[in-house]
Amino acid sequence: MTEVGLRIVIAEPKVEPISFRAEMTTLSGALHRPGTDPRAAIVLHGATGVPQSYYQPFARWLAEQGYACLTYDYRDFGGSAKAPLRQSRARMADWGLSDQPAAQAELERLVPDAPVWVIGHSLGGLMVPFHPGATRISRLIGVCLLY
């Protein structure tokens, strides 16, 4: 009698650098993809003054759990900055009403067949009800939205 061995292969998550348009500017981000079809597609809207690099370990963990996760930097900040921050004319309204919906739209384009979730940290969650694509969100998780 021969023994049949069972070998389970778990595909490693992948990280893809991405860029996408929000009005007249280009935003930089990363898409963390699971090694299989995603259970959901998550856009992580960061807090004011927090670069996307802060969220990378969490995004990686989400991908390991089977979720696609897009992180990005708001206009004129972090990887999306084109000049020193002091020269920025961006307002929080630009981040919340233009950059955030653009990130969700890009996630929907890149991961079209998964339910859309949003994780919003502080400002990242406060503006979501005002997004034109809010009705397409199947789950919203807010982290420290009020103090």
Side-chain angles (χ1 to χ4, degrees):
M1 178 176 222
T2 58
E3 224 175 281
V4 176
L6 179 62
R7 184 172 167 217
I8 298 174
V9 177
I10 299 173
E12 288 293 316
K14 294 183 174 98
V15 181
E16 304 168 18
I18 62 166
S19 61
F20 55 95
R21 300 289 293 171
E23 292 179 335
M24 301 303 290
T25 191
T26 300
L27 305 180
S28 296
L31 179 61
H32 296 256
R33 289 188 184 266
T36 61
D37 289 338
R39 298 164 59 182
I42 301 170
V43 60
L44 201 159
H45 299 312
T48 305
V50 181
Q52 69 158 331
S53 59
Y54 177 80
Y55 302 105
Q56 296 309 303
F58 181 54
R60 185 178 325 110
W61 180 82
L62 287 169
E64 289 168 355
Q65 308 312 306
Y67 300 94
C69 183
L70 185 147
T71 60
Y72 65 100
D73 284 320
Y74 294 121
R75 70 181 65 204
D76 296 345
F77 183 75
S80 298
K82 308 295 183 265
L85 188 56
R86 288 182 184 264
Q87 295 177 14
S88 175
R89 299 269 186 232
R91 301 167 300 153
M92 284 187 180
D94 297 322
W95 296 341
L97 300 176
S98 177
D99 297 359
Q100 290 177 3
Q104 179 182 328
E106 182 67 4
L107 177 67
E108 292 175 27
R109 187 184 73 77
L110 294 171
V111 190
D113 297 324
V116 176
W117 293 7
V118 171
I119 298 176
H121 180 198
S122 191
L123 171 76
L126 288 172
M127 302 295 263
V128 173
F130 303 105
H131 294 178
T135 58
R136 296 190 305 274
I137 298 169
S138 60
R139 184 170 294 178
L140 170 63
I141 301 166
V143 180
C144 193
L145 298 179
L146 299 174
Y147 180 70

